[in-house]
Amino acid sequence: PGMMDTVLNVGLNDVTVEALAEATQNPRFAYDSYRRLLNMFGDVVKGIAHEAFEERFDKIKADAGVKNDLDLNVDQLKLLCSEYKKVFEEHNQHFPSDPQ
């Protein structure tokens, strides 16, 4: 009946996101992928309400003066990833960064 929740981009962490940015020559793509993983992993795996992540996303967009997600630059996406990791901490959760 319903669609399954999916967690994309598994394997990204603070180290591998840099490797992806270098390999693709597209750091914006890499950090957009990482922020999606952080969001979905927090929601689907750790049970953190999606709204907790959306609040941070909306604030960063507002601070940047943009409405569209695609208008954020790589530095803003890096900041967003950092903010998303704080969401984990605020919910007494941990985002696993060791691929082992």
Side-chain angles (χ1 to χ4, degrees):
M3 291 183 61
M4 291 178 34
D5 287 324
T6 304
V7 178
L8 302 174
N9 309 316
V10 171
L12 286 177
N13 61 36
D14 291 343
V15 174
T16 59
V17 71
E18 288 294 328
L20 180 61
E22 185 176 329
T24 62
Q25 294 296 298
N26 190 342
R28 192 194 179 287
F29 162 74
Y31 277 92
D32 190 49
S33 298
Y34 192 25
R35 69 105 183 152
R36 290 172 190 270
L37 169 63
L38 289 163
N39 185 328
M40 290 301 296
F41 188 88
D43 180 19
V44 174
V45 178
K46 295 293 189 172
I48 300 170
H50 178 71
E51 292 76 24
F53 296 99
E54 283 301 307
E55 287 173 6
R56 301 295 172 100
F57 203 5
D58 290 343
K59 179 170 181 351
I60 287 178
K61 287 192 293 187
D63 289 349
V66 302
K67 293 191 186 294
N68 190 324
D69 301 358
L70 296 174
D71 293 329
L72 291 177
N73 65 35
V74 69
D75 290 328
Q76 293 157 335
L77 289 171
K78 286 180 180 183
L79 176 60
L80 182 58
C81 289
S82 178
E83 288 296 314
Y84 277 6
K85 288 184 229 168
K86 289 178 187 174
V87 170
F88 279 84
E89 293 170 11
E90 291 164 4
H91 288 84
N92 297 316
Q93 296 291 336
H94 173 72
F95 178 75
S97 60
D98 183 355
Q100 299 294 323

